[in-house]
Amino acid sequence: MRIEIVVGNIVRQSDVDALVNSANGNLRFGSGVAGAIHTAAGPELEQYCRRYSPIALGEAVVTPGFQLPNPYVIHARAASYINDDHPEKYLDLAIVQALRVAKDAGIRSMAMPAIGTGVFKFPPELAAEIILKALLSRSAEFPEITLVRVCVGDAQMQAVFQAALQLGLADSIQTKAKF
C-alpha cells in the first residue's frame, strides 16, 4: 500500500476509486469534509445514506459517489476527542473499518482527510500517529488497496503527517528486523 500525504481538496481527487468521509453518526451533510463531499456528490448522497443511519463509533459504510468523479464514498465515523470515551480506539477502528469495507467493495485506491482533526478536535499529531499506524500496520491484510492518499488543508498539517509517516515507517522496519 502506497501512502501519500498531499495538500489538496479531497473532492478534487478524481484519480482514486473512493473518497473517505469523516462522517457524523447520521451520515448527514455537515461542516468540513462531510459538507464538502455531500455538496460535491449532490443531494442523492444524503438521501442514499438514510438507509445506513445511524452508524456507530468506529463503523464505516460504502455508498455510491453520485456526482463525484469517484465511484464510491466511504463514510467512517471517528469519535470526538473531547466528548467521547476512548477516542483513540475509535479513530483506529474507523480507519480499519474503512479499509475492510473498501476491500469488500473492490476499491483499490482512496483519498481520506485528516480524520478527527476538524470538529472532532483530535490533536493533529495524535490523529496522524493513529491514522498512519493503522494504515501501515494493516497494509499486509489489505494487499488489494494500492493507494491511500491523505489530503490535508495546509503545509503545516502535511508536515505533521509526513513526520508521523516517517516515524511509522522507521518503526515498521525495526519491527521486521527483530524477527
Side-chain angles (χ1 to χ4, degrees):
M1 172 186 309
R2 189 171 86 236
I3 299 171
E4 298 175 351
I5 314 295
V6 301
V7 175
N9 185 333
I10 195 163
V11 299
R12 297 187 195 243
Q13 306 303 310
S14 59
D15 62 330
V16 296
D17 299 332
L19 301 183
V20 179
N21 177 19
S22 183
N24 54 56
N26 293 319
L27 301 177
R28 309 243 1 232
F29 186 98
S31 62
V33 171
I37 290 174
H38 275 271
T39 297
E44 299 90 353
L45 180 59
E46 189 164 343
Q47 179 73 20
Y48 191 90
C49 284
R50 289 182 185 159
R51 67 185 74 191
Y52 298 107
S53 174
I55 65 169
L57 291 173
E59 189 175 353
V61 297
V62 177
T63 66
F66 295 100
Q67 295 175 34
L68 287 163
N70 319 86
Y72 303 101
V73 176
I74 300 169
H75 306 267
R77 184 176 177 210
S80 166
Y81 187 73
I82 297 168
N83 298 321
D84 293 314
D85 293 333
H86 313 293
E88 296 93 341
K89 174 180 107 173
Y90 288 113
L91 178 54
D92 177 73
L93 186 57
I95 300 303
V96 174
Q97 292 301 330
L99 293 171
R100 283 196 179 119
V101 299
K103 177 182 176 179
D104 292 346
I107 294 167
R108 299 183 51 80
S109 61
M110 64 180 82
M112 70 172 50
I115 295 175
T117 61
V119 297
F120 291 151
K121 304 290 187 207
F122 261 86
E125 292 80 6
L126 180 58
E129 178 185 338
I130 292 167
I131 291 167
L132 293 167
K133 186 182 234 181
L135 293 172
L136 290 167
S137 68
R138 293 175 177 95
S139 64
E141 292 175 51
F142 304 99
E144 306 83 1
I145 301 173
T146 58
L147 171 65
V148 177
R149 179 178 300 142
V150 180
C151 295
V152 298
D154 58 38
Q156 183 177 1
M157 187 69 86
Q158 182 183 32
V160 167
F161 272 77
Q162 287 285 32
L165 177 60
Q166 293 307 314
L167 183 61
L169 288 171
D171 288 347
S172 175
I173 291 167
Q174 287 176 351
T175 301
K176 288 178 185 172
K178 290 180 184 176
F179 295 104

